[in-house]
Amino acid sequence: MKFESILKAALIGLAVSGAPVGNVAQAESIRVVRTGTEAVLNVPMNRAVVIESEQSFAELSIANPAIADLSSLSDRTIYVLGKAPGTTTLTILDAQGQLITNVEVRVAADVTEFKERLRQILPDEKIEVRTANDGIVLSGTVSSTARMQRALDLAERYAPERVSNLMVVGGIQQVMLKVRFAEMQRTVAKSLRASLATGGSTLGGDLGLELGTGQAATVAERDLVADKLIPKRTGTEGTVLFGFNAGGLEVGIMLEALENKGVVRTLAEPNLTALSGQEAKFLAGGEYPIPVSQQNGSITIEFKPFGVELNFIPRVIDGDLINLELEAAVSSIDTNNSIQLSSININAFKRRETQTTVELRDGESFAIAGLLMDDFTDLNAQVPWLGDVPVLGALFRSADYQREQSELVIIVTPHLVTPTRGEALALPTDRVVPPSERDLFLFGKTSATPGKSKAPQKGAAGEVAKQDFSSSYGYVMD
């Protein structure tokens, strides 16, 4: 290192330092030689730097030997060793004890090797590395949070607990999650019942006999008009009743044969967008009031949500790879399973839910949950011995058959999304325009005449508004 310019500045400083400092009394006893430093020397920690002066020196002094150590190799060469992170001052004096110069020595962690390793591990990332006191400062832009974490982990190896993160994550960091709930339920029930009732005028009609199974075995009464036996029942779908008279004996036979079939389809497709690392919640349904008894005897109301629920936390890991923490549920009120508390009727809930964590790329789909249920019930009841009689025994037997099948699938699809201009988005209300009074009352139209529509004409909303919605509407069962 050359100190010619520094030496000239030091001599000027000596001349200026003769000026009075403070008051006159102090000027006679105190003279400031030089404040500040003339040069800055950066020394890596645990490494040495050799500097050379153009002027011979006689004495060297270091302000804080714990930060840097020094020794003279000759009357113009100085050996400086960095020991600990920090800043100190090196003072150089000549043979007459006059100040040659002050040098600011800055000792910092050696980041040369760290920069090289960082370029090898993350070659495409624009990360800047600086030292601050005894730590490392990382700045710049990285493509994902995963790569930023890799850089931080590597920096911790060189400066444990002394790493400052000023990096910014670039790229798309907003995730739209599309979830599809699809459930099919099918129910089949069959029943066959029979009853036989007889009676006569013996003992004034007080003598009679009734045999049967199931709900068909009910108390019979006499129809005075038709003079036949008719059971006391309601809801007689699938019921056949016939009877005959044999002298004073009346015989009535009732057969019940019923078959029920039902199919239910449930489909929901909630969509929700969230920033990477932030939680998003979605609920389409309602809240059901539930009374809760308190210790003092009072009753408070708590509301339990039901419907389609979706909670998820997306994390963009690397590029288009997305980590999803997901909670999804579909619930509905079940009136068949309820409890009665005093005068309050509380319904139960049917709930299908899943909680999982998956990783997939932009646009890929995953079936995160599936449920297949097949319940089968078969019941056969009969009158003892009589039900075992061939052919006629069918009049004294009843059979019930019921089968319920259910299948549920939950599919998730994440997408990396960016904002767009508002006019590029189409709304459901853009499809239909309210009719005028003329169209409504004179022509019975529920939407405006296409030629007189005030719907948007440009952009995506205009394309949607131009679609034809004048055909029949409602539900079509295949």
Side-chain angles (χ1 to χ4, degrees):
M1 177 181 294
K2 305 299 182 179
F3 289 97
E4 182 178 357
S5 58
I6 299 176
L7 181 59
K8 293 181 180 178
L11 295 177
I12 297 176
L14 292 175
V16 175
S17 60
V21 177
N23 50 41
V24 178
Q26 291 177 338
E28 296 176 354
S29 59
I30 298 175
R31 183 171 62 90
V32 178
V33 177
R34 181 63 179 167
T35 59
T37 57
E38 301 296 337
V40 177
L41 177 63
N42 295 317
V43 181
M45 188 172 60
N46 298 324
R47 293 198 178 186
V49 174
V50 178
I51 59 176
E52 183 179 11
S53 174
E54 292 186 353
Q55 181 180 355
S56 299
F57 57 83
E59 185 178 353
L60 300 175
S61 175
I62 190 73
N64 190 350
I67 296 178
D69 192 10
L70 55 89
S71 61
S72 58
L73 302 179
S74 66
D75 59 349
R76 293 189 178 184
T77 307
I78 307 173
Y79 180 88
V80 182
L81 173 64
K83 299 174 61 177
T87 302
T88 185
T89 303
L90 168 62
T91 304
I92 304 176
L93 303 175
D94 59 11
Q96 288 76 30
Q98 299 294 324
L99 175 66
I100 298 178
T101 185
N102 286 327
V103 180
E104 181 180 347
V105 180
R106 297 178 182 177
V107 180
D110 186 12
V111 295
T112 304
E113 182 182 358
F114 171 64
K115 291 180 179 180
E116 183 179 354
R117 296 292 180 264
L118 193 62
R119 284 194 298 267
Q120 293 174 354
I121 297 175
L122 302 173
D124 299 328
E125 301 298 334
K126 299 179 180 179
I127 301 178
E128 298 179 0
V129 181
R130 297 181 177 88
T131 58
N133 198 4
D134 60 343
I136 297 177
V137 179
L138 300 180
S139 60
T141 303
V142 292
S143 58
S144 65
T145 54
R147 298 194 174 189
M148 180 178 67
Q149 188 61 43
R150 293 176 194 171
L152 294 175
D153 293 342
L154 182 61
E156 286 289 337
R157 293 286 185 177
Y158 291 86
E161 299 182 357
R162 299 190 304 274
V163 179
S164 299
N165 180 21
L166 302 181
M167 294 181 290
V168 178
V169 179
I172 301 176
Q173 296 297 312
Q174 295 181 124
V175 180
M176 184 190 74
L177 185 64
K178 178 180 180 181
V179 181
R180 287 177 288 174
F181 298 85
E183 182 177 14
M184 289 293 297
Q185 296 178 348
R186 182 174 64 178
T187 303
V188 178
K190 298 180 181 180
S191 63
L192 177 62
R193 300 183 179 95
S195 65
L196 172 65
T198 62
S201 59
T202 307
L203 299 178
D206 294 334
L207 178 61
L209 175 64
E210 179 182 353
L211 298 174
T213 59
Q215 295 180 350
T218 57
V219 179
E221 67 177 0
R222 180 181 299 276
D223 188 339
L224 299 178
V225 178
D227 197 25
K228 295 180 180 179
L229 294 177
I230 301 177
K232 288 183 178 179
R233 299 191 69 253
T234 58
T236 56
E237 299 91 349
T239 302
V240 178
L241 174 65
F242 59 92
F244 59 91
N245 296 332
L249 182 64
E250 298 176 352
V251 179
I253 300 176
M254 184 175 68
L255 297 177
E256 286 183 287
L258 184 62
E259 181 178 6
N260 293 328
K261 294 181 180 180
V263 177
V264 178
R265 184 185 76 169
T266 303
L267 182 65
E269 294 188 14
N271 296 338
L272 193 59
T273 303
L275 187 65
S276 176
Q278 301 297 319
E279 183 180 11
K281 297 183 179 181
F282 177 90
L283 172 63
E287 292 186 341
Y288 184 79
I290 298 177
V292 179
S293 178
Q294 304 297 325
Q295 295 181 353
N296 57 5
S298 62
I299 296 179
T300 60
I301 301 298
E302 292 184 1
F303 290 89
K304 181 178 180 60
F306 67 92
V308 179
E309 301 177 60
L310 175 62
N311 300 335
F312 80 103
I313 302 177
R315 292 183 178 88
V316 181
I317 299 178
D318 192 0
D320 60 348
L321 183 62
I322 304 170
N323 176 281
L324 288 178
E325 293 185 16
L326 179 66
E327 296 180 10
V330 177
S331 58
S332 60
I333 299 177
D334 184 9
T335 57
N336 296 326
N337 297 313
S338 60
I339 60 175
Q340 188 76 25
L341 297 177
S342 299
S343 59
I344 302 176
N345 185 34
I346 303 176
N347 294 320
F349 286 86
K350 291 181 179 179
R351 185 176 179 87
R352 285 79 71 198
E353 64 177 331
T354 180
Q355 180 177 357
T356 184
T357 301
V358 295
E359 284 187 3
L360 60 170
R361 297 190 179 275
D362 179 21
E364 295 181 342
S365 298
F366 226 128
I368 63 170
L371 174 65
L372 181 63
M373 297 179 59
D374 192 349
D375 296 333
F376 174 80
T377 303
D378 189 2
L379 177 63
N380 188 12
Q382 67 178 25
V383 177
W385 302 297
L386 296 179
D388 297 329
V389 177
V391 182
L392 294 179
L395 299 176
F396 306 100
R397 290 194 303 265
S398 67
D400 290 311
Y401 167 85
Q402 186 174 358
R403 187 174 186 180
E404 295 182 359
Q405 294 176 315
S406 176
E407 184 176 1
L408 171 66
V409 176
I410 302 178
I411 301 175
V412 298
T413 305
H415 295 280
L416 296 175
V417 295
T418 55
T420 184
R421 299 183 62 86
E423 57 269 17
L425 300 177
L427 301 176
T429 54
D430 295 333
R431 302 181 179 182
V432 179
V433 177
S436 63
E437 295 183 357
R438 176 175 174 272
D439 291 336
L440 178 62
F441 294 107
L442 295 183
F443 301 101
K445 296 182 178 180
T446 58
S447 60
T449 305
K452 298 181 180 180
S453 174
K454 297 182 181 179
Q457 302 297 325
K458 298 180 179 180
E463 295 297 328
V464 174
K466 293 177 183 178
Q467 299 180 15
D468 184 14
F469 295 91
S470 60
S471 59
S472 60
Y473 52 89
Y475 295 95
V476 179
M477 302 299 295
D478 295 333

